[in-house]
Amino acid sequence: MLFHEGLLSSSARKEALAYLLKNRGWATLTDRLLLFLGSALVLTGIVFFFAYNWAAMGRFLKFGLAEGGILLAVVSAAWLGIDRIPGKLLLLVASVLTGVFMAVYGQIYQTGADAFELFMTWTVLILAWVLIGRFQALWVFWLAVLNTGLILYWVQVVVPESREWEWLIYPILAGINSAWLIARETGYRRGLAWLRLRWARWLVLASILVLLSIPTIAFIVDPDEEMLLSVLLIALTGPGAYLYFRRLERDLFSLTLIMFTACLVVLCLSGKILFDIFDGPAMFLLFGFVIVGTTALAALWLVLTWKAIARESRG
Amino acid sequence: MNLTLRGLLGYLNSMNLIDSSGESGILERMEAKQVQARAPWYIQVLLGSGAWVAAIFFILFMYEAKLVRFDSEMSLVVWGVIYISGAIVMRRFTKSTFPVQLALAMSVAGHLMFLIGFGEAADAFDPVPFAALILGSVIYVLYPDTIHRFLSGLLVTVTFTIWIILHKDLHHGLHILVLSETLLAGWLFLDLRRADFKKPLAWALALSVPMTLFLVLVPKKEIHTEWWPSSLILTAALLALYLILYRVSGKPGSEPFFIAAAATLALGAFTTPGLVAGIGLIVLGYAVADYLLVSMGLVFVPGFIIVYYYEMNVTLLHKSLILMGSGLILLGFGLFLRTRPWYARRFS
């Protein structure tokens, strides 16, 4: 671009490109890509293999493969060292295979255990690896298994006994994920190197926002006191989260996630009010304008915030 | 190494390729550009999403007010043209956020009405991709908006993909589509002239390559073509990219290049083209420092694997062997890389 605007000569451009490309960290990218993708593909292939052969495989073969895989992964992780990425990835592989083992166990022994029991047991069994692994991907995987187990527990045990508790699962899961996020942010701010990458923050924050916005939107459409806790939580914690990501972290992506959720809630509320009070085709046009205005305002706010953050960073 | 503009300019200064006044001039110019730069992509996604939803309500208004009937092709086409024209005029004469967003919503609504009406009039889906191509080409020039240009490009490739899926005798055309998307995306990304004009289309085409392969699997219909031509095209494209990067970076040690090329060849010969496409996005994105592309690749690979599970042309056993084999190829080359003395020196 500098060359095309006449700010660099062609020899300067050639030298600049060589400098940039040589120093892009290609070796690191290649290493990480080969390792992460390779592991993910092997793992997925194993899951596909089990799915294909499920009916034909004898019980000992099923157990042998699952347990052998776990043992191999754990021993390899110990040998390579869990301070290094390959070791941490192998712990993740062992954790996934533990789930495969639980599925095999449940299917063979027909214990009558509900699915939630298998997931909760899975969560407990891999917790030690998660704690020693110091690996965000492993933590996120563990959270996903825990969330799944709790959802299944709620659907299979709690709701059939009492439908009053139906909506309580959302704030409970949001609370658990928030506790993890707070712990993560505390560790991050204290400088723990393994928490440096922010993708886990964004993923877990997105999950919290989804979990709280679903009952909030349901409350707007059809108010019921069961959903009130979620509404209160989002109202009380939303501004606090915004301030944290704006003032302390200056993380525009997290702010965008929060604003996106806020837009959804505001639009549902305004749509409900408009369509309840007024009638006629003009409401669709008016609501279309409301959507345009709300998203434009949110985007404008974020752009101004983005520029302010850039100014603050330049000091 | 943390690359910065200051670092680069300092390096060029040390090589006597620019002087100190040139260096400070460039820095001032780039800081001024930063102030005018468009917002990050995720803010644009927020705007684009809002425009789509608003467009649906505008169409519902037209329908409820009986201004348009879905069984009247002419009214859909006419109102589509009116909406698109109004959007172009509004966009060309304003830069404020609300009218820009309104124009985008109107244009999306106009596109939907025009293409639905066009398809209804032809009583078939066949002319719709060509209508989208002509409409998209004209509006790409007239409508100076990044999100809109991106959506126009994507609309063309998605409609062509759907057209191919709907006709059994056109399934071989899938490879021509993949070839076109790959060649055009590569050219647009690597040729930096008029970058602002070309970038949205480049993104759309880069995303279209894996999306075409993804969409083909989603309907769970049998696909009447082999996958190897697309694998070959994408493998060749990745090898060409490595060659360009190798030459532009001044041909530093050839071994890393050959390792990457060998891994890609082995993978391309063995695996499904969706995985090669995902890896291609990651590598291309990293090469041009476009982390949106890298993110697209990282999101696409697991998404593709999930949809691949349901692909009907191949048995589950075959799929499991392809995935495990692909993974072992990558891990094998990864382990080989770590044994190289230059690699160990770099990371010791």
Side-chain angles (χ1 to χ4, degrees), chain A residues 202-203 205-206 209 252-262:
Chain A
W202 296 330
L203 198 59
L205 177 63
L209 292 170
L252 191 67
F253 191 78
S254 296
L255 294 175
T256 306
L257 289 174
I258 295 170
M259 285 300 282
F260 189 82
T261 308

Side-chain angles (χ1 to χ4, degrees), chain B residues 90-108:
Chain B
M90 199 183 306
R91 186 62 184 87
R92 288 191 82 84
F93 290 103
T94 183
K95 283 190 168 63
S96 303
T97 312
F98 179 80
V100 163
Q101 178 70 340
L102 179 61
L104 183 61
M106 283 175 59
S107 179
V108 171

Side-chain angles (χ1 to χ4, degrees), chain B residues 36-99:
Chain B
Q36 296 162 21
R38 62 175 175 270
W41 64 268
Y42 39 88
I43 297 178
Q44 308 219 29
V45 166
L46 173 65
L47 283 168
S49 314
W52 268 98
V53 178
I56 292 168
F57 280 91
F58 289 154
I59 295 174
L60 284 171
F61 158 69
M62 301 290 291
Y63 177 74
E64 289 289 326
K66 298 188 179 16
L67 293 168
V68 80
R69 292 189 351 247
F70 286 119
D71 57 352
S72 166
E73 304 89 14
M74 190 50 66
S75 73
L76 282 168
V77 168
V78 167
W79 277 107
V81 170
I82 291 172
Y83 265 63
I84 292 171
S85 307
I88 292 173
V89 168
M90 199 183 306
R91 186 62 184 87
R92 288 191 82 84
F93 290 103
T94 183
K95 283 190 168 63
S96 303
T97 312
F98 179 80

Side-chain angles (χ1 to χ4, degrees), chain A residues 1-2 4-5 7-9 11-53 84-86 251-254 256 259-260 263 275 280-300 302-303 306-307 310 314, chain B residues 1 3 5 7-9 11-12 15 17-18 26 29-31 33-43 46-47 49-51 53-54 57-58 60-61 64-65 83 97-98 101-102 105 191-193 245 248-250 252 263 275 279 282-283 285-289 291 301 305 308-309 315-317 319-321 323-324 326-328 330-331 333-334 337-338 342-343 346-347:
Chain A
M1 188 189 67
L2 294 175
H4 289 300
E5 292 189 9
L7 296 168
L8 283 184
S9 64
S11 50
R13 171 183 180 257
K14 191 175 168 185
E15 196 60 42
L17 281 172
Y19 174 83
L20 286 170
L21 283 169
K22 264 193 293 210
N23 290 298
R24 288 288 284 126
W26 284 105
T28 309
L29 171 75
T30 309
D31 178 58
R32 295 280 154 90
L33 206 56
L34 291 172
L35 200 54
F36 279 92
L37 267 182
S39 306
L41 290 174
V42 168
L43 212 58
T44 315
I46 290 171
V47 173
F48 277 36
F49 184 78
F50 266 83
Y52 174 78
N53 286 299
R84 296 166 61 203
I85 294 289
D251 181 353
L252 191 67
F253 191 78
S254 296
T256 306
M259 285 300 282
F260 189 82
C263 283
F275 284 97
M283 281 303 103
F284 291 99
L285 182 65
L286 183 59
F287 190 54
F289 278 107
V290 169
I291 294 171
V292 168
T294 306
T295 49
L297 198 61
L300 183 63
L302 286 167
V303 167
W306 169 56
K307 290 182 177 172
R314 283 197 293 270
Chain B
M1 185 183 188
L3 296 173
L5 180 62
L8 171 64
L9 295 175
Y11 169 74
L12 292 175
M15 301 286 285
L17 290 165
I18 55 169
I26 289 173
R29 180 85 167 255
M30 295 310 293
E31 279 179 15
K33 260 189 161 335
Q34 178 69 19
V35 171
Q36 296 162 21
R38 62 175 175 270
W41 64 268
Y42 39 88
I43 297 178
L46 173 65
L47 283 168
S49 314
V53 178
F57 280 91
F58 289 154
L60 284 171
F61 158 69
E64 289 289 326
Y83 265 63
T97 312
F98 179 80
Q101 178 70 340
L102 179 61
D191 180 6
L192 294 170
R193 287 169 296 185
L245 292 172
V248 168
S249 61
L275 286 174
I279 293 169
I282 294 169
V283 173
Y286 197 78
V288 297
Y291 294 102
V301 169
I305 290 173
Y308 184 55
Y309 182 83
T315 65
L316 199 49
L317 174 65
K319 283 178 229 175
S320 75
L321 293 174
L323 289 175
M324 281 195 282
S326 308
L328 287 171
L330 294 179
L331 285 174
F333 276 98
L337 183 71
R338 282 164 172 258
W342 56 266
Y343 184 89
R346 190 183 172 89
F347 289 97

Side-chain angles (χ1 to χ4, degrees), chain A residues 28-280:
Chain A
T28 309
L29 171 75
T30 309
D31 178 58
R32 295 280 154 90
L33 206 56
L34 291 172
L35 200 54
F36 279 92
L37 267 182
S39 306
L41 290 174
V42 168
L43 212 58
T44 315
I46 290 171
V47 173
F48 277 36
F49 184 78
F50 266 83
Y52 174 78
N53 286 299
W54 201 250
M57 283 164 66
R59 61 174 67 181
F60 292 111
L61 180 59
K62 287 178 187 174
F63 270 126
L65 283 172
E67 288 174 359
I70 293 170
L71 194 61
L72 184 64
V74 171
V75 167
S76 304
W79 177 60
L80 287 170
I82 59 170
D83 287 334
R84 296 166 61 203
I85 294 289
K88 293 173 191 288
L89 267 177
L90 283 163
L91 281 184
L92 179 59
V93 167
S95 300
V96 172
L97 288 176
T98 303
V100 173
F101 172 80
M102 296 302 302
V104 169
Y105 184 90
Q107 204 246 2
I108 288 174
Y109 287 107
Q110 295 291 318
T111 56
D114 289 319
F116 81 86
E117 287 175 317
L118 295 175
F119 274 87
M120 295 311 287
T121 309
W122 187 3
T123 310
V124 170
L125 286 175
I126 63 174
L127 182 58
W129 293 334
V130 174
L131 288 168
I132 63 171
R134 287 173 295 156
F135 189 30
Q136 288 197 98
L138 193 44
W139 270 109
V140 169
F141 177 75
W142 182 83
L143 266 181
V145 175
L146 175 64
N147 276 234
T148 308
L150 285 171
I151 290 169
L152 288 169
Y153 172 72
W154 218 259
V155 167
Q156 291 170 355
V157 176
V158 174
V159 172
E161 285 183 16
S162 171
R163 288 203 74 85
E164 287 174 4
W165 302 102
E166 190 179 353
W167 288 93
L168 205 55
I169 185 62
Y170 292 96
I172 287 173
L173 289 176
I176 290 169
N177 294 351
S178 298
W180 184 87
L181 187 59
I182 291 168
R184 185 228 172 254
E185 292 303 310
T186 307
Y188 173 77
R189 293 192 69 76
R190 286 188 182 171
L192 293 178
W194 63 278
L195 295 172
R196 186 175 44 90
L197 297 178
R198 294 181 294 178
W199 66 271
R201 167 201 286 174
W202 296 330
L203 198 59
V204 176
L205 177 63
S207 76
I208 295 165
L209 292 170
V210 167
L211 287 166
L212 291 179
S213 59
I214 291 174
T216 303
I217 291 169
F219 181 80
I220 291 168
V221 171
D222 186 17
D224 194 312
E225 61 184 15
E226 292 168 25
M227 304 144 192
L228 209 47
L229 181 58
S230 297
V231 177
L232 287 172
L233 276 175
I234 208 171
L236 291 171
T237 60
Y242 190 89
L243 279 172
Y244 171 73
F245 290 117
R246 170 65 186 93
R247 292 291 166 206
L248 289 178
E249 281 302 309
R250 296 180 189 160
D251 181 353
L252 191 67
F253 191 78
S254 296
L255 294 175
T256 306
L257 289 174
I258 295 170
M259 285 300 282
F260 189 82
T261 308
C263 283
L264 269 178
V265 172
V266 163
L267 286 172
C268 284
L269 185 61
S270 48
K272 171 83 174 154
I273 292 170
L274 280 174
F275 284 97
D276 274 354
I277 295 173
F278 303 107
D279 206 357

